Amino acid sequence: MDEFRNGVWVRREYCGMLPGSEGYALLPLERVPRWGALIENFPRNLTRNIQIALSYFREAITERRDWKHSKAMLSAAIAFESLLGENVKSEITFRLSQRGAILTSAGEGAELVFKTLRKLYSIRSKLVHEGKSVDKQSVVRMEQFLMRAIPSMAALVIKAGSARRAVELLERAPFVRDEILCGVSEGDPVHHWWASVNLVETPDWVIQ
């Protein structure tokens, strides 16, 4: 946290979110109100699953920065599972990927997200079961997905009224797509800030 003192910005205390994050982050003055609004409107009283997802997402970022790509992928996968894995006991890769695609995209884009998530989760499986190494780009893709998925799920829980109802909407979506879910997955970046992360349009995110 910084303080404007005697005409200069002075580092008052470190945020402590990421080891080695003592450097300054530059933010144009015109963007300060927008950032303030994002912080003010970020969902409070997050569900336990979302809190766990946020915690492991943060760990994944730290581990990637330390070039620990395998550990970062495992942390990102745990975040993914915690966020969208409620009551998923079979066909885990398929159902997690389907829920993730439905939550974060729509139309043809959802199919691309679904296919990419399946491939990313298979990388996690090969790491766990075969000890295969993980490349940095795969970790970055998982992190980019979580950047969109975590706030999207938080918003869906609020709009649906409960975490249980939010999961029900995701499960029913292949057959009946509820207006609440459409509002979250198809939100515009102006009124729904999580929609600023468009996975399909993110360079090099889609795995062909």
Side-chain angles (χ1 to χ4, degrees), residues 37-89:
L38 295 181
I39 295 172
E40 179 67 24
N41 293 314
F42 196 89
R44 304 304 197 265
N45 302 319
L46 299 175
T47 65
R48 177 65 174 162
N49 286 357
I50 295 175
Q51 290 179 19
I52 293 173
L54 275 170
S55 178
Y56 278 99
F57 174 45
R58 184 175 63 192
E59 286 191 27
I61 295 173
T62 302
E63 290 159 348
R64 174 177 54 78
R65 289 180 56 181
D66 291 339
W67 296 90
K68 299 175 182 178
H69 298 148
S70 294
K71 287 186 176 180
M73 176 58 82
L74 291 177
S75 294
I78 293 173
F80 186 15
E81 294 161 359
S82 176
L83 187 69
L84 296 171
E86 185 173 340
N87 297 325
V88 174
K89 297 179 174 60

Side-chain angles (χ1 to χ4, degrees), residues 89-146:
K89 297 179 174 60
S90 62
E91 298 182 314
I92 296 175
T93 301
F94 178 87
R95 295 181 66 189
L96 283 175
S97 301
Q98 184 179 69
R99 287 182 179 185
I102 290 170
L103 176 66
T104 60
S105 49
E108 294 181 2
E111 183 179 7
L112 292 173
V113 173
F114 170 73
K115 291 179 177 178
T116 297
L117 288 177
R118 289 192 70 176
K119 291 175 182 177
L120 288 174
Y121 200 75
S122 71
I123 292 174
R124 169 263 180 206
S125 298
K126 290 178 181 178
L127 167 63
V128 172
H129 301 297
E130 302 174 23
K132 290 196 173 182
S133 60
V134 177
D135 63 288
K136 179 180 178 181
Q137 185 58 37
S138 295
V139 177
V140 170
R141 286 188 176 104
M142 281 292 285
E143 291 175 354
Q144 289 170 329
F145 166 72
L146 291 168

